[in-house]
Amino acid sequence: MKANRAKKIALYGMMVALAFTFSYLESLIPFDFGIPGVKLGLANLVVVVAIYMMKPAEAFSIAVIRIFLAALTFGNAYSLAYSLCGGLLSFIVMYFAKKTRLSEVGVSMLGGIFHNTGQIIVAALVMKTARIVYYLPVLLIAGLITGFLIGISAKLIIDRFNKIEKTR
């Protein structure tokens, strides 16, 4: 019993560390297509995998802990607000989308769309203007594309873990 608990805690810690590391790596990658705010969402790869392989509370904790760690280490109060709103909205949508048996790719694409939607909401509040919503279609397309790529990667990882588990 203790071995299973220790294994679970180690996996949980590894997932948090991996998500945090991906956040850092993403900050180093020069990803500029002339669209401010567009990111690959590498840390979301860990969250999507966690949604499929862990309990909801554990996956949620990984997402929130990663957001706080990244904001404290690389960001500021604004980046925390943007990431937290985008991340929470994204997680909620992905969690319920997974329950509808949507594929990992579809879940991730919805996550990308709603992460950007959450960030636009924060931007509108911070800038005190709804005009920022005109930027949303660009971010939605970016969220679909990056969500698709992250979703394919997540599916490969999840399938690989499931294959390994079946051989045990």
Side-chain angles (χ1 to χ4, degrees), residues 10-52:
L11 176 64
Y12 183 79
M14 187 174 66
M15 297 284 271
V16 169
L18 188 58
F20 179 65
T21 301
F22 282 170
S23 290
Y24 174 67
L25 290 174
E26 190 167 53
S27 73
L28 298 177
I29 297 171
F31 185 76
D32 183 15
F33 291 108
I35 307 169
V38 173
K39 295 168 110 179
L40 292 172
L42 294 175
N44 199 45
L45 173 61
V46 178
V47 175
V48 173
V49 169
I51 284 173
Y52 279 87

Short mmCIF file of all heavy atoms in Angstrom, two decimals, residues 10-52:
data_model
loop_
_atom_site.label_atom_id
_atom_site.label_comp_id
_atom_site.label_asym_id
_atom_site.label_seq_id
_atom_site.Cartn_x
_atom_site.Cartn_y
_atom_site.Cartn_z
N ALA A 10 5.36 10.36 -6.34
CA ALA A 10 6.49 10.59 -7.25
C ALA A 10 5.99 11.00 -8.63
O ALA A 10 6.54 11.93 -9.25
CB ALA A 10 7.36 9.34 -7.35
N LEU A 11 4.96 10.34 -9.13
CA LEU A 11 4.39 10.69 -10.43
C LEU A 11 3.83 12.12 -10.40
O LEU A 11 4.05 12.90 -11.32
CB LEU A 11 3.30 9.70 -10.83
CG LEU A 11 2.55 10.03 -12.13
CD1 LEU A 11 3.51 9.99 -13.32
CD2 LEU A 11 1.39 9.06 -12.33
N TYR A 12 3.12 12.44 -9.34
CA TYR A 12 2.53 13.77 -9.18
C TYR A 12 3.63 14.84 -9.19
O TYR A 12 3.54 15.83 -9.91
CB TYR A 12 1.73 13.80 -7.88
CG TYR A 12 1.01 15.07 -7.61
CD1 TYR A 12 -0.19 15.36 -8.25
CD2 TYR A 12 1.50 15.99 -6.69
CE1 TYR A 12 -0.86 16.53 -7.99
CE2 TYR A 12 0.84 17.15 -6.42
CZ TYR A 12 -0.35 17.43 -7.08
OH TYR A 12 -1.01 18.59 -6.82
N GLY A 13 4.67 14.63 -8.42
CA GLY A 13 5.80 15.57 -8.36
C GLY A 13 6.49 15.70 -9.71
O GLY A 13 6.87 16.80 -10.12
N MET A 14 6.64 14.58 -10.38
CA MET A 14 7.27 14.59 -11.70
C MET A 14 6.43 15.38 -12.71
O MET A 14 6.96 16.13 -13.52
CB MET A 14 7.47 13.15 -12.19
CG MET A 14 8.28 13.05 -13.47
SD MET A 14 8.63 11.35 -13.93
CE MET A 14 6.99 10.74 -14.29
N MET A 15 5.11 15.23 -12.63
CA MET A 15 4.22 15.95 -13.55
C MET A 15 4.29 17.47 -13.30
O MET A 15 4.34 18.25 -14.24
CB MET A 15 2.78 15.45 -13.41
CG MET A 15 2.60 14.00 -13.79
SD MET A 15 2.60 13.70 -15.54
CE MET A 15 0.88 13.92 -15.91
N VAL A 16 4.31 17.87 -12.04
CA VAL A 16 4.43 19.29 -11.71
C VAL A 16 5.77 19.83 -12.22
O VAL A 16 5.83 20.88 -12.86
CB VAL A 16 4.29 19.54 -10.19
CG1 VAL A 16 4.68 20.97 -9.83
CG2 VAL A 16 2.88 19.25 -9.72
N ALA A 17 6.84 19.09 -11.96
CA ALA A 17 8.17 19.51 -12.41
C ALA A 17 8.24 19.59 -13.93
O ALA A 17 8.82 20.53 -14.48
CB ALA A 17 9.23 18.56 -11.86
N LEU A 18 7.66 18.64 -14.61
CA LEU A 18 7.67 18.62 -16.06
C LEU A 18 6.87 19.80 -16.63
O LEU A 18 7.33 20.48 -17.56
CB LEU A 18 7.13 17.30 -16.59
CG LEU A 18 7.25 17.04 -18.07
CD1 LEU A 18 8.71 17.09 -18.53
CD2 LEU A 18 6.65 15.67 -18.41
N ALA A 19 5.71 20.06 -16.07
CA ALA A 19 4.90 21.20 -16.53
C ALA A 19 5.64 22.52 -16.30
O ALA A 19 5.66 23.39 -17.17
CB ALA A 19 3.55 21.21 -15.81
N PHE A 20 6.28 22.64 -15.15
CA PHE A 20 7.06 23.84 -14.84
C PHE A 20 8.24 23.98 -15.79
O PHE A 20 8.52 25.06 -16.30
CB PHE A 20 7.53 23.79 -13.39
CG PHE A 20 8.35 24.96 -12.97
CD1 PHE A 20 7.81 26.24 -12.91
CD2 PHE A 20 9.68 24.79 -12.62
CE1 PHE A 20 8.58 27.33 -12.53
CE2 PHE A 20 10.45 25.87 -12.24
CZ PHE A 20 9.91 27.14 -12.19
N THR A 21 8.92 22.88 -16.06
CA THR A 21 10.05 22.89 -16.99
C THR A 21 9.61 23.28 -18.39
O THR A 21 10.27 24.07 -19.07
CB THR A 21 10.74 21.51 -17.01
OG1 THR A 21 11.19 21.20 -15.69
CG2 THR A 21 11.92 21.49 -17.97
N PHE A 22 8.47 22.75 -18.83
CA PHE A 22 7.94 23.12 -20.14
C PHE A 22 7.60 24.61 -20.20
O PHE A 22 7.80 25.25 -21.23
CB PHE A 22 6.72 22.28 -20.49
CG PHE A 22 7.04 20.89 -20.98
CD1 PHE A 22 6.02 19.96 -21.12
CD2 PHE A 22 8.33 20.48 -21.28
CE1 PHE A 22 6.29 18.67 -21.58
CE2 PHE A 22 8.61 19.21 -21.74
CZ PHE A 22 7.59 18.30 -21.88
N SER A 23 7.09 25.15 -19.10
CA SER A 23 6.81 26.59 -19.05
C SER A 23 8.10 27.38 -19.26
O SER A 23 8.14 28.37 -20.00
CB SER A 23 6.20 26.99 -17.71
OG SER A 23 4.91 26.50 -17.58
N TYR A 24 9.15 26.94 -18.59
CA TYR A 24 10.44 27.61 -18.72
C TYR A 24 10.99 27.49 -20.15
O TYR A 24 11.41 28.47 -20.75
CB TYR A 24 11.44 27.06 -17.72
CG TYR A 24 12.82 27.63 -17.90
CD1 TYR A 24 13.07 28.97 -17.64
CD2 TYR A 24 13.87 26.84 -18.35
CE1 TYR A 24 14.34 29.51 -17.82
CE2 TYR A 24 15.13 27.37 -18.53
CZ TYR A 24 15.36 28.70 -18.27
OH TYR A 24 16.61 29.22 -18.46
N LEU A 25 10.96 26.27 -20.68
CA LEU A 25 11.47 26.05 -22.04
C LEU A 25 10.70 26.90 -23.06
O LEU A 25 11.29 27.46 -23.98
CB LEU A 25 11.39 24.58 -22.42
CG LEU A 25 12.35 23.65 -21.72
CD1 LEU A 25 12.07 22.20 -22.09
CD2 LEU A 25 13.79 24.03 -22.06
N GLU A 26 9.40 26.99 -22.86
CA GLU A 26 8.59 27.78 -23.77
C GLU A 26 8.97 29.26 -23.73
O GLU A 26 8.93 29.94 -24.75
CB GLU A 26 7.11 27.62 -23.43
CG GLU A 26 6.21 28.21 -24.47
CD GLU A 26 4.78 27.77 -24.29
OE1 GLU A 26 4.25 27.91 -23.18
OE2 GLU A 26 4.22 27.27 -25.27
N SER A 27 9.40 29.73 -22.57
CA SER A 27 9.82 31.13 -22.48
C SER A 27 11.14 31.37 -23.22
O SER A 27 11.44 32.50 -23.59
CB SER A 27 9.95 31.56 -21.01
OG SER A 27 11.10 30.98 -20.41
N LEU A 28 11.88 30.31 -23.46
CA LEU A 28 13.16 30.43 -24.17
C LEU A 28 13.03 30.31 -25.69
O LEU A 28 13.91 30.74 -26.42
CB LEU A 28 14.13 29.35 -23.69
CG LEU A 28 14.53 29.37 -22.22
CD1 LEU A 28 15.42 28.18 -21.90
CD2 LEU A 28 15.22 30.68 -21.86
N ILE A 29 11.93 29.70 -26.13
CA ILE A 29 11.74 29.45 -27.56
C ILE A 29 11.25 30.72 -28.25
O ILE A 29 10.22 31.27 -27.87
CB ILE A 29 10.72 28.31 -27.80
CG1 ILE A 29 11.24 27.00 -27.21
CG2 ILE A 29 10.42 28.15 -29.28
CD1 ILE A 29 10.20 25.89 -27.19
N PRO A 30 12.01 31.18 -29.24
CA PRO A 30 11.55 32.38 -29.96
C PRO A 30 10.41 32.02 -30.91
O PRO A 30 10.62 31.62 -32.04
CB PRO A 30 12.81 32.84 -30.72
CG PRO A 30 13.62 31.60 -30.88
CD PRO A 30 13.29 30.70 -29.72
N PHE A 31 9.20 32.11 -30.41
CA PHE A 31 8.01 31.74 -31.17
C PHE A 31 7.26 33.03 -31.48
O PHE A 31 6.40 33.46 -30.73
CB PHE A 31 7.15 30.78 -30.33
CG PHE A 31 5.95 30.24 -31.06
CD1 PHE A 31 6.09 29.25 -32.01
CD2 PHE A 31 4.68 30.71 -30.78
CE1 PHE A 31 4.99 28.73 -32.67
CE2 PHE A 31 3.57 30.21 -31.44
CZ PHE A 31 3.74 29.22 -32.38
N ASP A 32 7.61 33.64 -32.61
CA ASP A 32 7.00 34.93 -32.94
C ASP A 32 6.55 34.93 -34.39
O ASP A 32 7.34 34.93 -35.30
CB ASP A 32 8.00 36.06 -32.69
CG ASP A 32 7.40 37.43 -32.94
OD1 ASP A 32 6.16 37.56 -33.01
OD2 ASP A 32 8.18 38.38 -33.05
N PHE A 33 5.24 34.92 -34.55
CA PHE A 33 4.66 35.02 -35.88
C PHE A 33 3.98 36.37 -36.06
O PHE A 33 3.06 36.52 -36.84
CB PHE A 33 3.66 33.89 -36.13
CG PHE A 33 4.29 32.54 -36.25
CD1 PHE A 33 4.16 31.61 -35.24
CD2 PHE A 33 5.05 32.21 -37.36
CE1 PHE A 33 4.75 30.36 -35.36
CE2 PHE A 33 5.64 30.97 -37.48
CZ PHE A 33 5.50 30.04 -36.47
N GLY A 34 4.42 37.35 -35.28
CA GLY A 34 3.82 38.66 -35.34
C GLY A 34 2.49 38.74 -34.62
O GLY A 34 1.75 39.70 -34.78
N ILE A 35 2.21 37.73 -33.82
CA ILE A 35 0.95 37.70 -33.06
C ILE A 35 1.31 37.70 -31.57
O ILE A 35 1.69 36.67 -31.03
CB ILE A 35 0.11 36.45 -33.40
CG1 ILE A 35 -0.10 36.33 -34.91
CG2 ILE A 35 -1.22 36.49 -32.67
CD1 ILE A 35 -0.69 35.00 -35.34
N PRO A 36 1.20 38.85 -30.91
CA PRO A 36 1.55 38.91 -29.49
C PRO A 36 0.69 37.96 -28.66
O PRO A 36 -0.51 37.83 -28.89
CB PRO A 36 1.26 40.36 -29.10
CG PRO A 36 1.10 41.10 -30.37
CD PRO A 36 0.73 40.12 -31.43
N GLY A 37 1.32 37.30 -27.70
CA GLY A 37 0.59 36.45 -26.77
C GLY A 37 0.41 35.01 -27.22
O GLY A 37 -0.04 34.18 -26.45
N VAL A 38 0.74 34.69 -28.46
CA VAL A 38 0.58 33.32 -28.93
C VAL A 38 1.76 32.49 -28.44
O VAL A 38 2.91 32.86 -28.62
CB VAL A 38 0.47 33.26 -30.48
CG1 VAL A 38 0.48 31.82 -30.96
CG2 VAL A 38 -0.77 33.98 -30.94
N LYS A 39 1.44 31.37 -27.79
CA LYS A 39 2.46 30.46 -27.29
C LYS A 39 2.09 29.04 -27.73
O LYS A 39 0.95 28.77 -28.08
CB LYS A 39 2.50 30.51 -25.76
CG LYS A 39 2.95 31.85 -25.21
CD LYS A 39 2.70 31.90 -23.74
CE LYS A 39 3.99 31.87 -22.98
NZ LYS A 39 3.80 31.94 -21.53
N LEU A 40 3.05 28.17 -27.65
CA LEU A 40 2.81 26.78 -28.03
C LEU A 40 1.94 26.05 -27.02
O LEU A 40 1.21 25.14 -27.38
CB LEU A 40 4.14 26.04 -28.19
CG LEU A 40 5.01 26.47 -29.36
CD1 LEU A 40 6.37 25.80 -29.28
CD2 LEU A 40 4.33 26.14 -30.67
N GLY A 41 2.04 26.40 -25.75
CA GLY A 41 1.26 25.71 -24.73
C GLY A 41 1.86 24.38 -24.31
O GLY A 41 1.13 23.44 -24.04
N LEU A 42 3.18 24.32 -24.28
CA LEU A 42 3.85 23.06 -23.96
C LEU A 42 3.45 22.52 -22.59
O LEU A 42 3.28 21.31 -22.43
CB LEU A 42 5.37 23.24 -24.01
CG LEU A 42 5.97 23.54 -25.38
CD1 LEU A 42 7.46 23.80 -25.26
CD2 LEU A 42 5.70 22.40 -26.34
N ALA A 43 3.30 23.39 -21.60
CA ALA A 43 2.92 22.93 -20.26
C ALA A 43 1.53 22.30 -20.27
O ALA A 43 1.23 21.43 -19.46
CB ALA A 43 2.97 24.09 -19.27
N ASN A 44 0.69 22.73 -21.21
CA ASN A 44 -0.64 22.15 -21.30
C ASN A 44 -0.59 20.69 -21.72
O ASN A 44 -1.52 19.93 -21.44
CB ASN A 44 -1.52 22.96 -22.26
CG ASN A 44 -2.98 22.70 -22.03
OD1 ASN A 44 -3.45 22.67 -20.90
ND2 ASN A 44 -3.71 22.49 -23.11
N LEU A 45 0.49 20.28 -22.34
CA LEU A 45 0.67 18.87 -22.68
C LEU A 45 0.58 18.02 -21.41
O LEU A 45 -0.10 16.99 -21.38
CB LEU A 45 2.01 18.66 -23.38
CG LEU A 45 2.44 17.23 -23.67
CD1 LEU A 45 1.44 16.53 -24.58
CD2 LEU A 45 3.83 17.22 -24.30
N VAL A 46 1.24 18.46 -20.37
CA VAL A 46 1.23 17.73 -19.10
C VAL A 46 -0.18 17.72 -18.51
O VAL A 46 -0.64 16.71 -17.99
CB VAL A 46 2.25 18.33 -18.10
CG1 VAL A 46 2.20 17.61 -16.77
CG2 VAL A 46 3.65 18.29 -18.69
N VAL A 47 -0.87 18.85 -18.60
CA VAL A 47 -2.22 18.94 -18.04
C VAL A 47 -3.19 18.01 -18.79
O VAL A 47 -3.99 17.31 -18.17
CB VAL A 47 -2.72 20.40 -18.05
CG1 VAL A 47 -4.17 20.48 -17.58
CG2 VAL A 47 -1.83 21.28 -17.18
N VAL A 48 -3.10 17.98 -20.10
CA VAL A 48 -3.97 17.09 -20.89
C VAL A 48 -3.69 15.63 -20.51
O VAL A 48 -4.62 14.85 -20.28
CB VAL A 48 -3.80 17.32 -22.41
CG1 VAL A 48 -4.58 16.27 -23.20
CG2 VAL A 48 -4.24 18.72 -22.80
N VAL A 49 -2.43 15.26 -20.43
CA VAL A 49 -2.09 13.89 -20.04
C VAL A 49 -2.62 13.61 -18.63
O VAL A 49 -3.19 12.54 -18.38
CB VAL A 49 -0.56 13.65 -20.13
CG1 VAL A 49 -0.17 12.33 -19.48
CG2 VAL A 49 -0.10 13.71 -21.58
N ALA A 50 -2.46 14.55 -17.73
CA ALA A 50 -2.93 14.37 -16.35
C ALA A 50 -4.45 14.21 -16.29
O ALA A 50 -4.96 13.40 -15.51
CB ALA A 50 -2.49 15.54 -15.47
N ILE A 51 -5.18 14.94 -17.11
CA ILE A 51 -6.64 14.82 -17.13
C ILE A 51 -7.06 13.40 -17.48
O ILE A 51 -8.03 12.87 -16.95
CB ILE A 51 -7.26 15.85 -18.11
CG1 ILE A 51 -7.23 17.24 -17.48
CG2 ILE A 51 -8.67 15.47 -18.51
CD1 ILE A 51 -7.66 18.35 -18.41
N TYR A 52 -6.30 12.76 -18.35
CA TYR A 52 -6.63 11.41 -18.78
C TYR A 52 -6.06 10.32 -17.87
O TYR A 52 -6.57 9.21 -17.86
CB TYR A 52 -6.16 11.17 -20.22
CG TYR A 52 -7.13 11.74 -21.23
CD1 TYR A 52 -7.04 13.06 -21.63
CD2 TYR A 52 -8.17 10.96 -21.73
CE1 TYR A 52 -7.95 13.58 -22.53
CE2 TYR A 52 -9.07 11.48 -22.63
CZ TYR A 52 -8.96 12.79 -23.02
OH TYR A 52 -9.87 13.31 -23.90
#
